[in-house]
Amino acid sequence: MSNPSFFWSSNIKFLRKRKKMSQMELAEKLDISRSKVNTHENGHVKNPPMADMVLFADFFRMSIDSLVKVDLSKLSELKIRDLEAGNDVYLKGGSIRILATTVDSDNRENVELVPIKAKAGYLAGYSDPGFISRLPVFHLPQLDPNRKYRMFPTEGDSMLPVPEGALVIGEFLQDWTHIKERTPCIVVTKEEGISFKLASNRIKESKSLLLESLNTLYEPYEVDVMEVLEVWKFHSYFTEDIPDPMSSLEQVGRDVREIKATLHALTNVKN
C-alpha cells in the first residue's frame, strides 16, 4: 500500500462522530491538542507517526490495519462492533500487526537481536522504528530471505529443556489464526513481556491463546489476544551450554512423580 493513510483520516473522523464527540473532547481523551486531531481528520498527515496510530487505535479499539485499509463508514454497526471485539478480518487475532523492521544495504531483512538489557524496553519500543534500528543485527544463510525473523534471549526455568540464556530465533506470525496446537512460539504480551511458550489457537472459541510452558511444573493458561503484541514462531536456538540429560522434560516429570509418590506415602504412614 503506497499511501499508509488511505482511509485513516475519514475513519478517525467517522469514529469520533460515532461516539458523538467533538474534536476537543477527543483531544482531551487522548491528551493531545485539538489541532492535532483536526490535522489527522483533514488528511494533512500523509504518513501518520506510529505513536499517533497506536494512540487512536487503542482508544477506538480498532486495529491499525482496519483504520488504514477499511472504509468503516461502509460497514454495518454490527460489523463495526465485531471489529471492536477483536474479530478483525485483516489482523485475525491482535490489535496491531504493523511491524517495525530493518534492512541491510541490499534491502534484505535483518535479523534483529533483542539483548537482555533491551527486553524491558521492547514492550514500549517494539513498534518504534527508532528503537528497532538500534538493535544488533545479523544474517544466517539457513533462514528464508522471504520471511521475517528476530532473536530473543531466554530467562528463567519455565522454558526448560531450552536452557536459560539461550538465544531463540522466531519467525514473525502475522495471522494468529494459523497457529496450531502447541506450536512453540515467542509470545510478547503487555503483562508478561517476552516469553517462550507452546501456543494453541483459541481465538474462535474465546478470542485467546492457550499458553503452556515447556517446563511441565508450570500450569497452562489463556491470554486474551488483545493483550498479545507479537507472536514469533520458533525456528531454532543457540546456546553455549552442553545439554544436561538430567534436565529433560522426561526427567523433570519423573522427578515430580517421584516426589508426589513420596509425599503420598508419607501421608498414608501418618494416617
Side-chain angles (χ1 to χ4, degrees):
M1 184 174 56
S2 59
N3 184 359
S5 57
F6 191 57
F7 287 114
W8 176 262
S9 299
S10 59
N11 281 339
I12 295 302
K13 186 174 184 178
F14 170 77
L15 291 173
R16 173 179 63 80
K17 290 188 172 182
R18 178 172 171 265
K19 287 183 174 290
K20 297 180 171 60
M21 300 175 68
S22 66
Q23 287 187 344
M24 180 57 72
E25 288 172 329
L26 177 57
E28 290 175 351
K29 290 288 186 181
L30 299 179
D31 195 24
I32 60 177
S33 66
R34 189 202 66 79
S35 62
K36 173 172 275 195
V37 173
N38 184 61
T39 299
H40 279 284
E41 289 190 358
N42 289 332
H44 295 158
V45 183
K46 297 303 180 183
N47 295 286
M50 177 60 70
D52 288 354
M53 298 178 85
V54 171
L55 191 65
F56 282 98
D58 284 350
F59 178 77
F60 289 120
R61 297 170 57 199
M62 290 278 177
S63 73
I64 291 178
D65 272 0
S66 290
L67 291 177
V68 171
K69 295 180 179 179
V70 183
D71 184 355
L72 298 178
S73 66
K74 303 297 185 183
L75 301 183
S76 67
E77 178 64 20
L78 181 62
K79 182 55 184 174
I80 292 175
R81 291 179 181 177
D82 204 31
L83 292 177
E84 289 176 325
N87 299 325
D88 193 318
V89 294
Y90 289 97
L91 186 63
K92 300 179 181 178
S95 56
I96 300 169
R97 77 168 181 187
I98 293 180
L99 179 70
T101 185
T102 61
V103 295
D104 65 11
S105 58
D106 296 321
N107 205 37
R108 295 183 303 166
E109 288 276 1
N110 291 317
V111 179
E112 299 92 3
L113 166 63
V114 182
I116 289 287
K117 62 182 181 180
K119 284 184 67 175
Y122 191 80
L123 293 187
Y126 73 97
S127 61
D128 178 6
F131 174 86
I132 298 300
S133 68
R134 293 191 293 271
L135 297 175
V137 298
F138 63 95
H139 291 276
L140 290 174
Q142 68 266 37
L143 299 181
D144 187 337
N146 297 314
R147 300 177 185 272
K148 176 61 188 178
Y149 299 93
R150 191 160 288 166
M151 179 179 277
F152 302 87
T154 62
E155 289 185 287
D157 63 352
S158 66
M159 303 176 191
L160 291 173
V162 176
E164 181 174 12
L167 297 173
V168 179
I169 294 179
E171 174 194 339
F172 182 65
L173 288 185
Q174 197 169 40
D175 185 348
W176 302 344
T177 61
H178 290 169
I179 296 175
K180 298 180 180 180
E181 287 294 298
R182 307 185 83 242
T183 300
C185 295
I186 298 98
V187 183
V188 184
T189 65
K190 296 176 183 178
E191 291 295 325
E192 295 190 356
I194 302 169
S195 58
F196 186 22
K197 302 291 184 183
L198 300 176
S200 299
N201 174 12
R202 297 292 184 270
I203 295 173
K204 186 176 181 180
E205 300 91 329
S206 57
K207 298 184 180 66
S208 66
L209 297 178
L210 176 65
L211 302 182
E212 302 175 65
S213 296
L214 294 175
N215 187 337
T216 55
L217 294 178
Y218 291 83
E219 293 292 328
Y221 60 94
E222 290 192 28
V223 59
D224 192 299
V225 291
M226 298 303 288
E227 296 297 314
V228 179
L229 302 176
E230 291 180 342
V231 179
W232 299 79
K233 183 181 178 182
F234 172 79
H235 178 275
S236 55
Y237 75 90
F238 296 87
T239 179
E240 297 178 355
D241 298 329
I242 297 176
D244 181 358
M246 295 301 291
S247 65
S248 68
L249 285 179
E250 182 179 357
Q251 182 62 44
V252 171
R254 185 181 300 116
D255 291 344
V256 171
R257 289 192 293 271
E258 289 178 357
I259 292 172
K260 288 182 176 179
T262 301
L263 291 174
H264 181 71
L266 291 174
T267 301
N268 289 339
V269 169
K270 291 181 179 180
N271 292 336

